[in-house]
Amino acid sequence: SKDVEAATVPVSHSEIADGVVNTMYDMISQMAATKDVASAEAFVATIPDVKAKMKNYLEAAQSLPAPTDDEKVAFEDKMNEAQEKAGPALMAMMMAMPQNPDAEAIGKIIDEVMDDQEMKKVVEALEAIYKVEASVEDEVEDKVEGSVEAPGTE
């Protein structure tokens, strides 16, 4: 199955963005589906795979030339879209927690995942590569919207 692995290495910033977004969306959806200790533990069991995928995307991103401003904005847009899509389910899960008898145990399990230092480092490194400077974001949005604003005006 090494061949399958090799074939799935992303070769563009766009593919990396799609991969990161899908992986994060799947992770958030799985977390949102947490209703009891068993499902919380099932969520935790998915994390090593998530970490492996995210490391793979980070290595791929580091092996490519730096992303263009357009690629950075596209990455950020895809991340925002995924968060908006996953948000309601996650919010529903959190709203249901106070009534959940397992809430404390579930909270401990999820906190452990959220506090995973290795995962934090990988995510921070990806964010650093795709960090959109505010001024750049405005320029690209202006280009996209065909705005005729004078440069330097807010």
Side-chain angles (χ1 to χ4, degrees):
S1 77
K2 267 283 176 236
D3 301 335
V4 176
E5 284 290 311
T8 59
V9 174
V11 292
S12 70
H13 288 294
S14 178
E15 283 180 33
I16 292 166
D18 290 341
V20 168
V21 166
N22 290 334
T23 302
M24 295 302 279
Y25 178 73
D26 290 346
M27 186 184 94
I28 293 168
S29 299
Q30 184 95 32
M31 186 165 72
T34 303
K35 306 273 184 271
D36 51 31
V37 172
S39 56
E41 286 169 349
F43 165 62
V44 171
T46 67
I47 297 304
D49 186 46
V50 169
K51 271 202 284 201
K53 285 180 181 172
M54 294 297 279
K55 278 188 193 162
N56 187 19
Y57 297 132
L58 175 59
E59 285 167 16
Q62 289 168 333
S63 74
L64 293 171
T68 64
D69 289 342
D70 287 352
E71 286 170 328
K72 289 179 181 182
V73 171
F75 185 94
E76 193 174 80
D77 287 347
K78 286 177 183 181
M79 286 299 283
N80 291 338
E81 219 172 278
Q83 284 171 337
E84 280 172 30
K85 215 166 78 173
L90 194 58
M91 186 58 78
M93 182 271 279
M94 292 164 100
M95 299 294 280
M97 270 306 138
Q99 287 81 46
N100 192 319
D102 293 336
E104 200 175 324
I106 293 169
K108 278 189 185 140
I109 294 168
I110 289 179
D111 284 349
E112 238 169 79
V113 170
M114 292 296 129
D115 208 41
D116 186 303
Q117 293 308 307
E118 193 183 5
M119 182 75 155
K120 277 185 179 171
K121 283 195 182 97
V122 171
V123 171
E124 282 168 10
L126 278 163
E127 284 174 349
I129 291 172
Y130 293 102
K131 170 97 180 79
V132 179
E133 301 305 324
S135 60
V136 166
E137 194 169 2
D138 293 343
E139 278 173 41
V140 174
E141 278 174 14
D142 289 349
K143 244 193 286 181
V144 171
E145 292 164 13
S147 159
V148 287
E149 232 173 17
T153 58
E154 290 305 306

